[in-house]
Amino acid sequence: MASSKLQALWNHPAGPKTIHFWAPTFKWGISIANVADFTKPTEMISYPQQVVIACTGIIWSRYSTVITPKNWNLFSVSVAMAGTGLYQLSRKIREDCFSDEKEATAASLEG
Amino acid sequence: MATAFKAFLNSPVGPKTTHFWGPVSNWGFILAGMADMNKPPELISGSMTAVMCVYSGLFMRFSWVVNPRNYFLLATHASNESVQLYQLSRYVKAQGYLEKKEPEAQQ
């Protein structure tokens, strides 16, 4: 019984023998690579790349629920992409915009 | 000409469907990659670029076998594949992976 269910999944037309499975599954790599880069110095973050990752994540989160059939795998990977992209952007923006203020006030206090 | 344009507008992968606008958003990857082409290669994230290369390769295949066949998505990912492979080559060269090793001890 369990093995026939597994077999049904294995032989599914969108199952692990097909590209319909592996292409969306591999999209998780983008979010995983982004998480791995969370500890990188913010100078190495690319604004265009992270804006695109966040925007495509948001757009595809929406689209994955309006296509037929709804694709929850695509929905979850898109939410993850949007989340990691927005976090990387917030790190870089905080460093570029707000830590400069701290340095400026520190310099003016000393002077 | 008008009928071809109308056929495009009403196509099952045309601009009235999500099959069109989703790939449009994916063009952002190509534009971002092109914007980063002139940046110093030390700033390139090797892991992200390598992931993009595999990701676009897989989706080129996906766009071909999906029903309905999505040529626009295929073109999108073929372009991204080129851009990301170029960035990956810049990264690899900057990291020194492709340099010939110096002969160690001359006997």
Side-chain angles (χ1 to χ4, degrees):
Chain A
M1 287 143 293
S3 62
S4 65
K5 263 206 169 174
L6 272 176
Q7 270 198 328
L9 277 173
W10 179 249
N11 294 315
H12 193 279
K17 289 197 251 182
T18 74
I19 189 72
H20 301 284
F21 177 85
W22 289 107
T25 302
F26 191 80
K27 206 164 182 184
W28 278 101
I30 294 177
S31 300
I32 292 168
N34 230 5
V35 169
D37 285 348
F38 276 174
T39 52
K40 273 205 180 158
T42 56
E43 296 79 33
M44 295 185 69
I45 297 175
S46 159
Y47 270 128
Q49 189 178 68
Q50 294 301 323
V51 165
V52 163
I53 288 175
C55 286
T56 57
I58 293 167
I59 290 171
W60 281 100
S61 302
R62 159 74 181 151
Y63 282 153
S64 58
T65 61
V66 300
I67 53 177
T68 338
K70 287 188 190 184
N71 192 332
W72 294 110
N73 185 25
L74 187 61
F75 175 75
S76 50
V77 73
S78 303
V79 167
M81 276 178 67
T84 59
L86 288 170
Y87 178 66
Q88 287 285 61
L89 277 176
S90 74
R91 282 182 68 216
K92 193 166 171 73
I93 290 172
R94 257 185 273 151
E95 181 64 31
D96 288 353
C97 301
F98 298 118
S99 67
D100 288 347
E101 282 177 14
K102 277 192 201 158
E103 283 167 23
T105 45
S108 64
L109 283 173
E110 279 170 32
Chain B
M1 278 290 287
T3 47
F5 188 61
K6 267 196 180 168
F8 163 67
L9 281 182
N10 295 313
S11 147
V13 289
K16 294 189 199 175
T17 73
T18 181
H19 302 289
F20 181 84
W21 292 106
V24 166
S25 73
N26 280 348
W27 271 96
F29 284 123
I30 292 105
L31 298 175
M34 282 169 33
D36 286 345
M37 266 190 200
N38 295 321
K39 273 194 181 169
E42 296 77 32
L43 298 180
I44 297 175
S45 165
S47 49
M48 180 62 81
T49 312
V51 162
M52 290 268 174
C53 291
V54 179
Y55 156 76
S56 277
L58 291 175
F59 269 97
M60 277 162 55
R61 169 67 181 163
F62 174 88
S63 65
W64 188 257
V65 301
V66 75
N67 187 26
R69 187 165 279 178
N70 197 330
Y71 292 109
F72 182 44
L73 189 66
L74 177 66
T76 309
H77 281 293
S79 308
N80 196 36
E81 187 69 37
S82 314
V83 167
Q84 299 299 333
L85 279 173
Y86 174 64
Q87 286 288 70
L88 191 66
S89 72
R90 289 181 69 218
Y91 170 81
V92 160
K93 273 192 216 161
Q95 298 291 321
Y97 289 133
L98 291 180
E99 277 170 17
K100 280 207 182 128
K101 287 205 179 109
E102 303 262 325
E104 297 247 1
Q106 296 286 349
Q107 293 289 336

